Amino acid sequence: MIVDAYTRDRVAEELDAGLIGRSLHWHATLPSTNEEAMRLAAVGAAEGTVVIAEEQTAGRGRRGRGWTSPAGGVWLSVVLRPALPVGGLPLIGLAAAVAAARAIQSAAGLRAKVKWPNDVLVGGAKVAGILTEAGPAAAWTVLGIGLNANVPAALLPHATPYPVTSLLEQAGGPIDRGHLTVALLRELDHAYAVLRGNGRERVLAWWRECSDTLGRPVRVETMSRVVEGLAVDVDGDGALLLRTPRGIERIVAGDVTLSGAGRGARP
Ligand code: BTN
């Protein structure tokens, strides 16, 4: 087997794309694949267009944060034009987290879990993050996925409020990024098809199955407040439901940590 021959031709050939990946834009380096995919979406790029960069110099994370993206990772964005009600858009992120967890399992043989809303964990530490950004009037959405594949521990970000890892670190050796990317795009294609075909409940059931959040006491930091409670479920729009002393609280966006957990604790 060729280990980590990460090239456009290899991915395109092995993918035999459905909707996602039928147009593949490959760059050695970009500031951000999300930025480039948003530019392409705004000038009419077809749904399913994928932008991949071998490294990003200004990778974007959730809630205005940066995303460390050295060579060795899988950094990609997909142009979507979902005919979903606006309230359903967060489900794309949840579906993508499940797709990433499944791809990690099949391509790297590692058990991955999802942390609400759409972080992917291996060994209790974050290995992948997802950032969705919508265009004007939700005419398009860009789905960005960052996966710390063959990133050495020394190049992972350290000043994070949660533990971070890479597949290289977890597997004890390099994984084949071409194979991982193909698995990820295929899983995404499947999950997105199910979501568009009124399969919202199926996607939520998949998410619940690989959740690392449900059933645990958590602390959620939103833009305006901090809420602590027991994570009991996600609702039909992917919002997190917390049981608190005041009753059930519904959280639509925020960062989750275990209640009382400090730096280095397992999320
Ligand atoms: C998070 O904060 O967890 C989301 C991180 C998303 C990173 C990916 S890497 C590919 C795409 N391009 C970006 O600039 N960000 C996303």
Side-chain angles (χ1 to χ4, degrees), residues 122-207:
V122 172
K126 180 163 170 172
V127 77
I130 287 163
L131 174 68
T132 50
E133 300 188 84
W140 45 262
T141 293
V142 162
L143 166 67
I145 303 179
L147 221 161
N148 298 330
N150 293 332
V151 179
L155 297 184
L156 291 170
H158 295 291
T160 54
Y162 45 78
V164 175
T165 191
S166 67
L167 298 181
L168 174 72
E169 199 176 34
Q170 295 290 322
I175 54 105
D176 183 330
R177 276 179 303 164
H179 195 47
L180 176 67
T181 301
V182 168
L184 175 59
L185 295 177
R186 283 196 186 138
E187 290 288 355
L188 271 179
D189 196 60
H190 175 57
Y192 187 58
V194 168
L195 198 54
R196 288 195 314 167
N198 289 324
R200 169 186 294 233
E201 280 309 323
R202 248 175 100 192
V203 167
L204 287 166
W206 294 340
W207 188 92

Side-chain angles (χ1 to χ4, degrees), residues 60-66 130-131 220-225 253-256:
R60 309 209 290 230
R62 287 175 58 232
R63 307 182 84 201
R65 293 183 285 243
I130 287 163
L131 174 68
V220 188
E221 217 179 304
T222 73
M223 286 305 217
S224 55
R225 62 194 182 125
D255 285 329
V256 168

Side-chain angles (χ1 to χ4, degrees), residues 8-205:
R8 183 195 179 285
D9 285 355
R10 177 153 177 253
V11 169
E13 197 175 305
E14 203 182 317
L15 180 60
D16 187 20
L19 174 69
I20 292 180
R22 62 188 179 165
S23 170
L24 200 52
H25 297 239
W26 193 281
H27 299 261
T29 182
L30 273 180
S32 154
T33 56
N34 261 35
E35 184 185 288
E36 175 62 4
M38 290 170 82
R39 187 189 70 74
L40 292 171
V43 296
E47 179 162 62
T49 296
V50 170
V51 179
I52 295 182
E54 290 170 44
E55 73 170 340
Q56 299 184 117
T57 53
R60 309 209 290 230
R62 287 175 58 232
R63 307 182 84 201
R65 293 183 285 243
W67 181 261
T68 305
S69 322
V74 169
W75 322 121
L76 64 83
S77 301
V78 187
V79 174
L80 299 175
R81 299 184 179 277
L84 294 170
V86 173
L89 289 181
L91 291 176
I92 294 175
L94 270 63
V98 171
R102 289 179 171 182
I104 289 168
Q105 173 76 52
S106 68
L110 294 167
R111 183 162 154 70
K113 300 196 118 193
V114 296
K115 187 182 80 152
W116 188 88
N118 41 37
D119 287 351
V120 183
L121 313 178
V122 172
K126 180 163 170 172
V127 77
I130 287 163
L131 174 68
T132 50
E133 300 188 84
W140 45 262
T141 293
V142 162
L143 166 67
I145 303 179
L147 221 161
N148 298 330
N150 293 332
V151 179
L155 297 184
L156 291 170
H158 295 291
T160 54
Y162 45 78
V164 175
T165 191
S166 67
L167 298 181
L168 174 72
E169 199 176 34
Q170 295 290 322
I175 54 105
D176 183 330
R177 276 179 303 164
H179 195 47
L180 176 67
T181 301
V182 168
L184 175 59
L185 295 177
R186 283 196 186 138
E187 290 288 355
L188 271 179
D189 196 60
H190 175 57
Y192 187 58
V194 168
L195 198 54
R196 288 195 314 167
N198 289 324
R200 169 186 294 233
E201 280 309 323
R202 248 175 100 192
V203 167
L204 287 166

